[in-house]
Amino acid sequence: MTPGPNSLPTIAELDVEGKRVIVRCDLNVPLADGAITDDLRIRAAVPTLRALLDRGARLAVCSHLGRPKGKVVEELRLASVGVRLAELLGRDLTETRDVVGEEAAMACESDVPVVLLENLRFEPGEEANDPAFADELASLGDAYVNDAFGASHRAHASIVALPRRLPCAVGYLLADEVTQLERLLHDVERPYVAVLGGIKVSDKLDVVGNLLEVVDAMCVGGAMAFTLLVAKGQKVGRSLVEDDRVEDVKEMLQRAASKNVAIHLPVDVVAAESPEPGAAHKTVSLSRIRDRMGVDIGPKSAKRFSEVIAAAKTVLWNGPMGIFEIEEYAHGTKAVATAIAEATRAGAFTVAGGGDSAAALNELGMTDAVSHLSTGGGASLELLEGRDLPGIRALRDAGRRNQ
Ligand code: ADP
Ligand code: MG
C-alpha cells in the first residue's frame, strides 16, 4: 500500500475490522426533478466503501446534498442517492431519517453492514462546525475516513471536527485527487496549457494568479473571457463583464506578459440577442459583436485553442467555453473537449475540474477523455491556488498526533 499524499494516515493503517467506520463521502450529485443526472460522484465513492467492507468494517456513510441550510428539505433527502449507491455497491443499505439521534444511533449500533445517514446539511451544526453536533456524529462510529474531496475545502463538522475525535484515514478518492492535482503544480511536462472558462472571472482570479507561475499558456473562453477582453480595451457589447474586476485583470495580464505566459482570447464569438434558447444568434468576429451578447467562442477561436491544446503535454481544463446547456452554444465547449481528448490519446496528462465542466463532459459522453476528471469544483480550484484544504490539514494533524 502506497502512503497517502502529504503523509496522510491511510486506510491500511486503520484498524477497521468489526468497527463501525464513519465515511464522509461527497455524494452531492446534480438532480433534476428528483432524478440524478450525473452519478460520477457516487461511482467515485465506491472503491473506498468496498475496501472497508472487504476488511470487515461496518459503515456509516454520510454526505451533504444541495444547500438545505440547516433544515430538513424533503427534496434533498439522500433517498435517491441511497438507491444508486446500493446498486453500485451491490448491497442493501439502511437509510436513517435523521443525521444523528436515537434512530441513527440504533442503526449504527446494529450489525447492518451499511448505514446511510441523512443529508448532513439538514443539521445547522454541520456547516457551523458546532462541537456538540460533531460529538454526536462522532459517537455513531469507532473510526473515520474522509473521502469527500469535493467538500474538503469546507471547515464543516464532518470534515474537520471528526478527525480530532476518532482514529482516522484518508479515502482512496481523496488521496487520488490530491496526487493527481498536485501533479499540475510541480514537475509538469511542458508545454503546460490551462483552458479556462465558465461564468465568473472573480471565482477564478486566484487560481489564475497561481497558475501564471506554472503554465506556458492559457486559453480563456466562456463569459470569463469578456472581462479580459474589456481589460485589453475591446468592446464586448452586452456580454457578461465584471466591471469591478477589470483593474485586477489588467494587473494579471501584465504579470502574464512579464512571465511570458501567452494568453489566448476569443477572436470570434457566437453573438446572441439574449441568452435564451431559440434567440436570434450568429457567429461574428469580435469587432462586430455590436450590442449583442457573446454566448460561445466562435470556430476560429475554437480552432486556435485546439491547436494550442494539441501542442501541449499537460492540460488543465476548468469551465465551459459558452452556455453549453443550450445546444447551439455548446460547439466551443465540444471543440475544446475533443482537442483535449486527442491530446490525452497522444500522451498528454490532462485534467478537467469544475462541476459544470464535468457535466459538459458527461453530456458529451466524454468522461473518459481526460487522464483525470476531478470530482471537486471549488476544492480542486483551491488546491490549485496552492491552499491547504481544511479537511486535508485536519487529517494530516490527526496523523501527526498518532505518531
Ligand atoms: P465550472 O463549474 O466548470 O467551474 P462555472 O460554474 O464557472 O464552471 O461556469 C459554468 C457556467 O458558465 C455555465 O452555466 C455556462 O452556461 C456559463 N457560461 C459560459 N460561458 C458563458 C457566456 N459566454 N455567457 C454566459 N454564461 C456563460
Ligand atoms: Mg459551476
Side-chain angles (χ1 to χ4, degrees):
M1 180 70 49
T2 48
N6 292 322
S7 56
L8 300 177
T10 65
I11 289 180
E13 299 161 285
L14 194 65
D15 179 17
V16 301
E17 199 184 335
K19 303 274 164 72
R20 175 71 66 187
V21 183
I22 301 175
V23 190
R24 175 51 157 113
C25 295
D26 175 11
L27 307 176
N28 182 29
V29 289
L31 297 171
D33 300 323
I36 297 166
T37 53
D38 179 6
D39 66 358
L40 171 74
R41 285 177 165 170
I42 308 179
R43 283 184 282 123
V46 167
T48 295
L49 301 178
R50 274 226 178 98
L52 289 167
L53 287 167
D54 287 348
R55 292 201 22 226
R58 290 170 300 137
L59 309 179
V61 179
C62 59
S63 175
H64 71 285
L65 178 65
R67 297 180 179 202
K69 306 225 166 101
K71 54 182 194 318
V72 176
V73 175
E74 289 301 326
E75 303 79 71
L76 293 177
R77 287 196 178 277
L78 279 177
S80 57
V81 169
V83 170
R84 186 75 189 112
L85 180 61
E87 274 169 17
L88 289 165
L89 269 179
R91 300 249 191 168
D92 285 340
L93 48 82
T94 301
E95 286 177 50
T96 63
R97 293 282 296 172
D98 298 303
V99 185
V100 290
E102 216 169 295
E103 185 217 354
M106 267 168 57
C108 290
E109 272 158 32
S110 76
D111 40 345
V112 297
V114 187
V115 173
L116 176 64
L117 301 175
E118 189 49 280
N119 190 342
L120 287 165
R121 290 191 190 165
F122 284 1
E123 285 287 339
E126 164 66 358
E127 290 180 82
N129 189 16
D130 172 53
F133 170 68
D135 285 340
E136 223 182 334
L137 190 58
S139 74
L140 299 177
D142 312 300
Y144 167 79
V145 170
N146 184 0
D147 210 19
F149 175 67
S152 287
H153 58 315
R154 304 285 186 211
H156 295 168
S158 66
I159 300 288
V160 295
L162 291 201
R164 304 194 72 92
R165 286 165 170 77
L166 293 169
C168 64
V170 59
Y172 296 145
L173 170 66
L174 201 165
D176 184 53
E177 289 270 14
V178 174
T179 305
Q180 300 290 340
L181 291 166
E182 287 194 340
R183 276 180 71 180
L184 292 175
L185 292 175
H186 318 283
D187 303 326
V188 288
E189 264 203 85
R190 300 188 175 281
Y192 175 9
V193 176
V195 182
L196 301 174
I199 190 103
K200 279 182 162 176
V201 79
S202 51
D203 283 350
K204 297 181 183 173
L205 261 179
D206 288 344
V207 75
V208 169
N210 205 46
L211 286 171
L212 282 180
E213 305 294 328
V214 280
V215 300
D216 300 296
M218 284 190 194
C219 297
V220 184
M224 182 179 163
F226 296 110
T227 304
L228 274 69
L229 288 164
V230 166
K232 294 188 79 165
Q234 303 252 22
K235 291 211 166 68
V236 300
R238 279 186 292 118
S239 305
L240 290 184
V241 172
E242 286 178 85
D243 293 314
D244 55 341
R245 292 309 175 120
V246 172
E247 286 309 310
D248 293 338
V249 166
K250 277 186 191 164
E251 241 170 70
M252 185 274 280
L253 290 171
Q254 269 164 13
R255 272 188 57 214
S258 73
K259 292 186 176 298
N260 278 326
V261 175
I263 309 266
H264 302 278
L265 292 171
V267 292
D268 58 348
V269 292
V270 177
E273 297 300 332
S274 86
E276 305 304 321
H281 61 273
K282 76 193 236 202
T283 301
V284 295
S285 66
L286 191 67
S287 56
R288 291 174 180 272
I289 193 167
R290 298 211 297 266
D291 68 341
R292 289 167 297 203
M293 179 179 183
V295 290
D296 192 12
I297 59 171
K300 283 202 187 96
S301 314
K303 184 160 177 279
R304 181 75 196 115
F305 288 9
S306 299
E307 286 163 358
V308 175
I309 293 164
K313 288 279 190 324
T314 305
V315 182
L316 164 67
W317 178 30
N318 183 290
M321 296 293 106
I323 307 178
F324 73 98
E325 297 92 337
I326 300 173
E327 211 185 328
E328 293 115 302
Y329 310 150
H331 297 291
T333 302
K334 200 171 183 170
V336 159
T338 305
I340 294 174
E342 276 164 23
T344 314
R345 278 195 294 275
F349 176 61
T350 61
V351 175
D356 291 289
S357 317
L361 277 175
N362 188 47
E363 238 159 74
L364 295 167
M366 292 177 69
T367 49
D368 293 334
V370 285
S371 316
H372 180 68
L373 176 56
S374 178
T375 55
S380 58
L381 288 180
E382 288 196 19
L383 201 114
L384 293 172
E385 281 160 28
R387 289 202 231 174
D388 198 13
L389 307 189
I392 295 171
R393 192 186 320 127
L395 288 171
R396 196 186 309 117
D397 290 349
R400 284 209 195 99
R401 278 197 302 276
N402 294 343
Q403 270 169 8

